[in-house]
Amino acid sequence: MILLLGAGPDDPAVDSFDGYLTRRSIDHAVCRDPGRLPFAVRMDPDGRTRVRLRPPGHGTLDGDEVAVFVRDPWALVPPDGPAGPSGPDARFAADEYRAALWSLCALLPRVVNRPGPRAWPDAADLRRRLAPSSALPERWTTDGGELLDEWRRSPAAELHVEDLLTHERRIVRRTPGPGAGESDGAGEGGTEQLRALFAPSSAYVIELCVGRRSFTVLNEPGVDVTAAPYRAFVRDLAAVLRGQGLRFFAAALVADERRRLLVSRVVPVPPFSWYRDIADEVHGRLCAELGHGPAADTGESG
């Protein structure tokens, strides 16, 4: 059976996958509060690790009977009620709770997406796993003015900035004339913690990958996504990220002045709005990755 592990009551991605499985009479359960998912881990005398869990509406099952779709591991925290706990003790409990779920998903044989050796991979960590030649140049700084000066000296047309404290994102573009930029876009100093990309544009190709299958869900610059070099680029990118345990993700790509594609960011939790129009195809591939349906990894592109 398939367990959909959500992180709250209002997630259209979980709702849509639930509906897909129901229409096809595929045995499944939805758990929107993982704090209510009983499970246990034990070691057999022969040294083998055994997992037992009880999904909602089901009896106790062995771990090898359950495939798990983890919607958003970074949102897996105990829900606080109106009088719920807060402060350091609650944060400690949340960390322990997430660690327990990490252990559960690391031990089960079929999980999308599987946690890495130390944690579930986040976007910044995944990007660092890519070859430097395949990704946009990235800068980390606390000095917005210095960042602007460096960008003005570069050939990049745009500066994409994320404030790591507020999660605010901004795009700075060159103004007409020699080398000037919109300085209000990145700040001129202070105590900001900034992550920045030097980008040729903000016209994106977004590729959604499920196992070895990929779907082009946005193509703003009009790149030929059927061309052999593009398919090879996406195939190699997906192979690297599968090595990090990622079977379902999106990649935002930009093309430079030579139409060469570069990774802007990796999105390990693709928004449902990106694949709403092809949801049944995506869910079919997810079922294959989870061991339900046609054999996984038989296709490359969609």
Side-chain angles (χ1 to χ4, degrees):
M1 61 90 65
I2 293 176
L3 172 61
L4 307 183
L5 197 57
D10 301 313
D11 188 340
V14 173
D15 294 341
S16 181
F17 201 0
D18 177 23
Y20 176 91
L21 297 172
T22 299
R23 291 192 301 273
R24 285 156 180 79
S25 301
I26 297 174
D27 187 22
H28 71 287
V30 180
C31 181
R32 300 179 187 274
D33 178 2
R36 299 182 180 276
L37 177 67
F39 69 92
V41 179
R42 64 183 176 86
M43 188 77 73
D44 281 353
D46 61 3
R48 297 182 62 187
T49 301
R50 303 282 187 178
V51 177
R52 302 273 286 173
L53 67 163
R54 190 165 66 247
H58 290 68
T60 301
L61 301 174
D62 288 328
D64 57 9
E65 299 179 84
V66 181
V68 180
F69 172 70
V70 183
R71 170 56 181 161
D72 183 358
W74 297 102
L76 296 181
V77 295
D80 285 342
S86 60
D89 289 345
R91 288 193 295 272
F92 175 80
D95 289 341
E96 292 297 301
Y97 171 86
R98 191 195 305 273
L101 288 170
W102 176 91
S103 299
L104 172 66
C105 292
L107 290 168
L108 293 174
R110 296 185 302 277
V111 178
V112 176
N113 281 311
R114 180 176 297 284
R118 294 179 301 277
W120 271 284
D122 61 18
D125 181 60
L126 291 168
R127 196 177 182 282
R128 286 192 290 268
R129 305 291 177 177
L130 305 177
S133 60
S134 67
L136 288 175
E138 187 177 40
R139 303 290 189 276
W140 299 74
T141 184
T142 58
D143 190 328
E146 182 180 279
L147 178 65
L148 277 170
D149 289 342
E150 184 180 359
W151 170 65
R152 286 167 179 150
R153 293 192 298 267
S154 80
E158 296 183 359
L159 177 65
H160 297 183
V161 185
E162 178 184 8
D163 188 316
L164 300 178
L165 298 180
T166 66
H167 303 293
E168 179 185 358
R169 290 178 177 170
R170 292 158 283 177
I171 294 177
V172 187
R173 297 180 174 89
R174 297 190 187 277
T175 57
E182 298 178 3
S183 61
D184 60 335
E188 292 289 1
T191 58
E192 294 174 308
Q193 295 185 22
L194 304 175
R195 170 183 174 267
L197 300 174
F198 289 12
S201 77
S202 51
Y204 289 104
V205 180
I206 295 180
E207 199 75 19
L208 185 83
C209 298
V210 190
R212 295 183 186 274
R213 186 71 181 269
S214 65
F215 305 86
T216 305
V217 296
L218 182 69
N219 187 1
E220 291 177 324
V223 170
D224 182 0
V225 298
T226 64
Y230 179 86
R231 300 311 326 160
F233 180 88
V234 172
R235 183 175 61 247
D236 293 346
L237 172 65
V240 170
L241 296 175
R242 283 199 307 273
Q244 302 302 312
L246 213 59
R247 310 292 296 185
F248 179 46
F249 67 93
L253 315 174
V254 295
D256 65 14
E257 62 279 356
R258 295 178 294 168
R259 305 289 283 178
R260 182 173 63 104
L261 286 166
L262 297 166
V263 177
S264 173
R265 61 190 176 110
V266 178
V267 184
V269 185
F272 179 65
S273 59
W274 288 6
Y275 62 93
R276 185 190 307 275
D277 293 342
I278 55 169
D280 279 1
E281 293 177 80
V282 170
H283 293 149
R285 295 309 306 171
L286 284 171
C287 284
E289 292 296 319
L290 293 166
H292 291 257
D297 295 345
T298 56
E300 180 192 332
S301 61

